[in-house]
Amino acid sequence: MNPRANTLGIVARNKQILVEEQSGKHSKGNGFYYRPIGGTIELGEHSKDTLVREFHEELGVEITIKCHVKCIENIFKIDENIGHEITQIYLVEFNEPNLYEVEYFKVIEGNKITYAKWISVNDFERGHKILYPNGLTELLKDIT
């Protein structure tokens, strides 16, 4: 399997970030884990365009990209399977200010429905909640 190129957008409000809540097996165990909104970069698509598309498809919202933060290379293992992601991280903001007052968003990806919610960065820093990709929690100290 080849590395997967993807992109994630950090939306922040009051020391919280908007993340999608998922459940299942992950590299640190089994149960709930969190990930910012984003997705796989398609061939010929710039990572910024991917991010705008993913926020529109998954949440039905428009965003503005404020800045590129960093590229994180995440190599992980679930059971005996190795995963490898190269992830472009951007700081983004909602075009509609009232969206910062919404407590959760329905995330639609094909037939799968999950929810995105605001989680305190402190919950990730203290290990109360698990944030992926690996290395993102440390990066949040500088950008939130």
Side-chain angles (χ1 to χ4, degrees), residues 94-131:
F94 290 132
N95 288 358
E96 296 292 327
N98 64 322
L99 292 174
Y100 289 95
E101 298 171 23
V102 176
E103 288 306 313
Y104 67 91
F105 298 82
K106 186 184 283 189
V107 179
I108 301 171
E109 289 186 77
N111 294 331
K112 181 181 171 188
I113 296 177
T114 57
Y115 291 90
K117 55 174 95 174
W118 301 98
I119 302 288
S120 169
V121 172
N122 287 334
D123 284 346
F124 299 123
E125 291 174 345
R126 294 183 180 139
H128 297 148
K129 298 192 184 299
I130 298 169
L131 180 66

Side-chain angles (χ1 to χ4, degrees), residues 53-114:
R53 175 179 54 78
E54 290 288 344
F55 268 84
H56 185 265
E57 288 175 0
E58 294 180 6
L59 301 182
V61 302
E62 303 300 321
I63 60 163
T64 297
I65 295 173
K66 292 174 68 174
C67 66
H68 179 260
V69 176
K70 188 172 185 172
C71 181
I72 294 178
E73 188 166 7
N74 184 28
I75 300 171
F76 57 94
K77 195 172 188 180
I78 301 175
D79 293 330
E80 296 303 313
N81 300 313
I82 294 176
H84 188 169
E85 298 176 321
I86 299 170
T87 305
Q88 297 291 349
I89 307 290
Y90 290 92
L91 192 57
V92 304
E93 60 187 11
F94 290 132
N95 288 358
E96 296 292 327
N98 64 322
L99 292 174
Y100 289 95
E101 298 171 23
V102 176
E103 288 306 313
Y104 67 91
F105 298 82
K106 186 184 283 189
V107 179
I108 301 171
E109 289 186 77
N111 294 331
K112 181 181 171 188
I113 296 177
T114 57

Side-chain angles (χ1 to χ4, degrees), residues 24-63:
K25 269 190 181 177
H26 51 86
S27 64
K28 295 177 182 164
N30 196 4
F32 288 107
Y33 61 96
Y34 300 84
R35 195 174 175 94
I37 302 300
T40 302
I41 301 168
E42 295 178 0
L43 182 64
E45 183 179 45
H46 193 281
S47 58
K48 288 180 181 180
D49 297 330
T50 300
L51 203 50
V52 169
R53 175 179 54 78
E54 290 288 344
F55 268 84
H56 185 265
E57 288 175 0
E58 294 180 6
L59 301 182
V61 302
E62 303 300 321
I63 60 163

